[in-house]
Amino acid sequence: MKILYVNWAPLWRGAEVGGGVNLYSQSMAVKLAQLGHTLFSISSGFAYNLKNRAYIKKGPDFMGVKNYEIFNAPNIAPGFFNYENPMQDIEEPVVESLFEDFIKHIKPDVVHFQNIEGFSVKCIDIAVKNGCRTIFSLHNYHPVCNQIYLLYKDKTICEDFDNGRKCLECLNPPPYSKEVIRRRAAFHIY
């Protein structure tokens, strides 16, 4: 069986990038590869370089898992960096087009979304439309909270978001543009 793992963090980087969710994904994918399945992973929203366009690049294989990255995705991840553009979590045509081309190329039987950060909700529809059995594991609250953990200002449990008004004062990550520049510079130096 061909299985595709989807996560914002590159699978081969394990807990170093993406924490426990990525370590879980890595462990599961490696075990499934050892059991004879064909495993792929794709990440988006993490890798940025000096090119001005989004594209898919092959990453290093890791213990039987073939890895790919979408570079320069309009949706930066983790999700709280994308707080200025929350509608991109619902629809982001550039990433969706790349994702659909990738799905059509590898033809997975199963697509396992660990989250949609760096992708969009429509990517789930793309997997289904292309005949893939689809799983979405909810590892955090990103689908309902751009802060991700339902913690108001990272300190107290958010029990009432006041129809979104409280969300506007909750997040204060670096601006999107500064984070993209930081990542591009880090990639170039690396």
Side-chain angles (χ1 to χ4, degrees), residues 78-181:
F80 56 82
F81 283 114
N82 205 44
Y83 79 103
E84 295 174 337
N85 305 302
M87 293 308 290
Q88 285 179 321
D89 291 334
I90 296 167
E91 181 176 15
E92 205 312 295
V94 171
V95 170
E96 291 156 9
S97 176
L98 290 168
F99 184 75
E100 185 159 27
D101 289 347
F102 184 72
I103 291 282
K104 287 178 178 178
H105 175 71
I106 67 167
K107 297 179 175 69
D109 300 301
V110 175
V111 178
H112 189 171
F113 288 88
Q114 302 304 313
N115 54 57
I116 58 160
E117 297 166 71
F119 293 89
S120 76
V121 171
K122 285 200 172 184
C123 289
I124 297 170
D125 294 336
I126 289 167
V128 170
K129 180 182 89 177
N130 281 280
C132 306
R133 286 175 254 163
T134 305
I135 301 164
F136 183 5
S137 293
L138 191 60
H139 295 288
N140 61 37
Y141 294 101
H142 176 257
V144 295
C145 172
N146 258 4
Q147 186 271 350
I148 297 174
Y149 300 112
L150 280 179
L151 293 174
Y152 179 66
K153 295 192 176 187
D154 267 338
K155 294 179 182 162
T156 59
I157 295 171
C158 182
E159 296 180 14
D160 179 10
F161 65 98
D162 192 22
N163 290 322
R165 285 186 284 281
K166 201 169 172 184
C167 302
L168 296 174
E169 62 187 46
C170 177
L171 289 170
N172 196 20
Y176 174 92
S177 58
K178 285 185 181 178
E179 182 62 18
V180 169
I181 290 168

